[in-house]
Every structure is written in C-alpha cells, then in structure tokens.
Amino acid sequence: RVAPKCRHFGPCGGCKWQHVDYRLQLKFKQQHVVDAFERIGGFPSPNILPIIGSDDVFFYRNKMEYSFSDKEWLVLPPPKEDPERPENSALPQSNIESRKLVVSACPPRLFTNGRREVEPSEIHLGLHVPQRYDKVLEITECLLQSDHSNSILNFVRSFARRENLPVYSSDDDVGYLRFLVIRQSKRTNELMVNLVTFEDRPEIMKQMTKELLEAVPAVTTVVNTINSKKAQIAFGDRERVYAGDGIIHERLGNLLFTISTGSFFQTNTSQAEKLYAVARDLAVLKPTDVVWDLYSGTGSIALFISDVVSRVIGVESVSAAVDDAERNARANKITNCSFVLGDLKDRLTKDTDWIKSHQKPDVVIIDPPRSGMHPKVVDEILEIAPPRIVYVSCNPATQARDVKLLASRYEILALQPVDMFPHTYHIENVAQLVLR
C-alpha cells in the first residue's frame, strides 16, 4: 500500500488502485491477462511478454467528462470512537445503531429522516460515485488530466452558481446544465471546453466564454453542445462554437489527428503510441501487405501503419467515426487507406459483393469494443483465413473467449499487455495469431 495522492480517493471510484504501488499494479494486470487466457481461453502457459507500463501515472488523460447535478454525494467523517468502549469493538455492531451514528455525525441541517434536503438552486459539478447516477461527488482537484483542467472545472462551477443556472432534470425534462467535457492535446497544447446543455442560451455562453478565456488563457476553443433529449449523454443534436474553431489537434508519431467534440480518441496519448507500435510490430508487416482494420474507429491504427504496407481497408459501424477517419487521412496526405461504413456481422457475412470486390487480407487487425466480437464475425474471419491476425482488446476476458474460437485454425505466438490507465484495473492486451 501507498498513500493516495488524490483528496477524493475512495468515494470517487475513478482511481480504485491509487493506494497500491504502481509496480504491483502492473503485476496484477499482467496476471489478469494470464488468468483470462488460461481459465477462459483454455491456453496453458501462454507466451505473455512483460507488461508495458505508463511513463506518466498522473495527468495522463486527454479527456475528462464531468456531470452537473442538484444533488451532492456527501462524504461523511468516520464516527468517533467511544473512549470507554474496548479497542476491538470501537464500531457499533448493529446496522440500526450504525445508521444512527452516521447520520448524527453530520450537520443536522443536511438531513431529514436520514435523507438530505436539496434546495432547487444547488449546483454541483463532479463525478458520479460507483453505481449512483442521481448524485455527483463534488470534485475540486482531479489528478488525471492537468492543472488547467482543474482551473476550468472550478471556474465553470463558480460561474454556474453565480448566475444561478438550473441543472437539467431528466425526471421533469427541464433545466440547462448537463455536462462539462474538457479535451486537451498533450502534443500541441490545444485545449477544448465543451459545455453540454439542454437549451440554447447564447447570452450565457458568450458571458461564460469571455470570463473563461480571461481566467484560463490556455483554452483554445469553447463549444456549446445542445442535447434536448432525455438521454443523459454528453452528445447532442447541434453545436455552437463560441471561441476558436471547435476542434483540437493531436499527434501520434508523425500523424496529426483532428479531434471534434464527438470524436473517439485514445485517452492516453503517449500510451496509444506504444499500443499502436506493438500492434504494428506483432503484425510483422511487409510493403506488399493488404491489411483489413476491423472496428477501425477514427482510423488511428490504419493510418499509423499505412506507411509500411500496400493498402489498408478499415470497417466501422459509426458514420461519424468513418468521416473522421477519412478527414484524418486527407489531412495527412495518406492515399492508401479507405474506410467502409457497416456493421461487421452484416458486412462480412451478408455483403458477398463487398467481400469479392476487395482483395483478401494478408493481415487482419481487430480492435473491438469491450464486448468483443460477434460470433458471426469470428466465423467469417475463420472462413477468410488471413495468414496473420493482431487482436487488440481492452477486455482480456472477451478477447480470450474470441481467441479460443479462433484457435481451431490459429496459434497464439505472443500476448503483450499495455497499461493505458494507471490506478485502475483496466488493461489493454495485444494478441499475435498465425494461421496453422
């Protein structure tokens, strides 16, 4: 154990392992990959390479998303020990007595019958504690993004309280404030502030933008995303740009990526470079290779490997991501990458014309969501039978399940864990497969 640096550690839940020495975190994460492939995949003693740790264990994220609420999650002080009670029974044993003690330890004005009375004008900005989406833990300092990010967070909260802006209520479908999203480039030092609201209030946004740029001059663009639907998501129907051009840029290797409010981009820039380099190396790419990049997203892996292969074809089901990928290819003057819109289980299994019209791949790179691949996609990959497969995953459990299905025709050569998120239990893993 080590002393957690963050004042919000514990109830926040964002950095569950911050009390564990980072070297031991890496050991646990590597063992998680071993366990998944031995127990779920059924692979005895898989060849797992030493985990690649993160150079930065704090301030490594390039994106943070905070929520507004009129209900605050309270962190209660621990109950005081009774000096007359024996040391080994300092805490009350009954649940009823425990609840009474917790409530009495708080200022009486905050509670009625064990519940907090919330005034309509209250405005809180922070992160949801685990399993609770009706309240937020007020965050004043987060060690995941940057000092600029913390300054923005505290400024926006103060501005909202001063102007008495109402928080959106999904129960009543009224209000204004929903989310604060901060995106920051680690390589170009560009900084985006995106306020997600239920309504369009231009005068408020103009005033906030003016004061924000004075308070945090590092901000390069300010956007207002308007989401008039009940769904509590930080995306919307329309946007208004109040400063800058509404985008930021980030570099990975020699590539420059454009990031808009809705773009997906790996949240740890320096580790993303290492992850993509691992995928490139394990694919053993040759200048004549045709590569299929499945679940290609905004094309970051496809573009990253484009200079060492003949052609890359990306397949992605989200149209906005395909648009971003094509735009990034044009911006970097890359002409040997093309991106196809479509659900893989339909594109690979039903669209036979598409399969016939594209050259069969020498390498398939797979980077699916946490749920892994649809069984029909696995079956089609087995049918296509590319000589080499590189499977990038953020969930070793579903990865091991899928690789077990592929093992009827493929052999695992190596597994390479890469830590993208220090102080969490999450781990990325890259599997190198070759056709038997």
Side-chain angles (χ1 to χ4, degrees), residues 204-251:
I204 285 292
M205 282 302 305
K206 288 177 183 176
Q207 182 64 26
M208 191 203 77
T209 300
K210 177 178 179 296
E211 295 185 24
L212 174 62
L213 295 178
E214 292 172 356
V216 190
V219 173
T220 56
T221 188
V222 179
V223 183
N224 177 205
T225 296
I226 301 157
N227 176 12
S228 301
K229 299 178 181 177
K230 275 199 169 187
Q232 284 285 49
I233 54 175
F235 300 94
D237 314 309
R238 51 203 169 105
E239 294 179 356
R240 297 189 64 168
V241 178
Y242 286 87
D245 51 13
I247 58 174
I248 62 173
H249 302 88
E250 184 60 291
R251 291 191 178 278

Side-chain angles (χ1 to χ4, degrees), residues 31 34-43:
Q31 187 60 42
V34 172
D35 290 345
F37 275 80
E38 287 185 346
R39 300 177 185 180
I40 299 173
F43 301 101

Side-chain angles (χ1 to χ4, degrees), residues 375-386:
K376 290 182 179 179
V377 176
V378 176
D379 291 341
E380 192 61 31
I381 291 173
L382 288 171
E383 183 68 26
I384 295 169

Side-chain angles (χ1 to χ4, degrees), residues 404-418:
K404 182 179 182 179
L405 297 175
L406 293 169
S408 62
R409 299 197 66 181
Y410 286 87
E411 178 184 357
I412 301 178
L413 290 190
L415 302 173
Q416 176 63 76
V418 181

Side-chain angles (χ1 to χ4, degrees), residues 106-316:
C106 303
R109 66 181 179 84
L110 296 180
F111 287 86
T112 299
N113 296 326
R115 295 178 179 274
R116 183 171 184 190
E117 294 180 339
V118 181
E119 299 179 7
S121 61
E122 287 196 15
I123 298 171
H124 302 287
L125 180 58
L127 299 170
H128 292 284
V129 297
Q131 308 301 321
R132 290 299 296 262
Y133 298 96
D134 57 336
K135 300 179 181 181
V136 300
L137 177 70
E138 190 103 300
I139 301 294
T140 56
E141 180 186 35
C142 179
L143 303 182
L144 289 179
Q145 192 167 27
S146 71
D147 290 331
H148 286 319
S149 177
N150 290 326
S151 298
I152 294 165
L153 170 68
N154 292 313
F155 167 84
V156 171
R157 179 192 296 110
S158 298
F159 179 86
R161 286 175 175 170
R162 189 193 75 197
E163 299 297 323
N164 200 27
L165 301 175
V167 173
Y168 172 73
S169 167
S170 57
D171 294 333
D172 303 321
D173 203 27
V174 294
Y176 180 62
L177 300 170
R178 304 190 74 155
F179 301 96
L180 171 67
V181 184
I182 304 170
R183 306 194 74 153
Q184 185 172 14
S185 164
K186 299 295 185 178
R187 304 288 169 76
T188 67
N189 297 319
E190 297 176 36
L191 184 56
M192 174 195 293
V193 176
N194 177 23
L195 190 69
V196 182
T197 63
F198 178 64
E199 301 171 335
D200 185 9
R201 299 190 183 185
E203 294 308 314
I204 285 292
M205 282 302 305
K206 288 177 183 176
Q207 182 64 26
M208 191 203 77
T209 300
K210 177 178 179 296
E211 295 185 24
L212 174 62
L213 295 178
E214 292 172 356
V216 190
V219 173
T220 56
T221 188
V222 179
V223 183
N224 177 205
T225 296
I226 301 157
N227 176 12
S228 301
K229 299 178 181 177
K230 275 199 169 187
Q232 284 285 49
I233 54 175
F235 300 94
D237 314 309
R238 51 203 169 105
E239 294 179 356
R240 297 189 64 168
V241 178
Y242 286 87
D245 51 13
I247 58 174
I248 62 173
H249 302 88
E250 184 60 291
R251 291 191 178 278
L252 285 179
N254 296 322
L255 302 173
L256 184 68
F257 289 87
T258 299
I259 302 172
S260 60
T261 57
S263 297
F264 170 79
F265 196 82
Q266 288 283 0
T267 51
N268 187 334
T269 302
S270 62
Q271 288 300 97
E273 274 189 340
K274 295 179 184 179
L275 180 70
Y276 296 161
V278 167
R280 179 191 60 205
D281 294 344
L282 293 185
V284 194
L285 299 171
K286 301 188 290 290
T288 57
D289 280 343
V290 173
V291 180
W292 286 11
D293 180 15
L294 308 185
Y295 308 92
S296 58
T298 55
S300 48
I301 292 180
L303 301 176
F304 194 85
I305 65 170
S306 61
D307 61 337
V308 294
V309 298
S310 172
R311 184 165 184 75
V312 186
I313 301 164
V315 184
E316 169 59 43

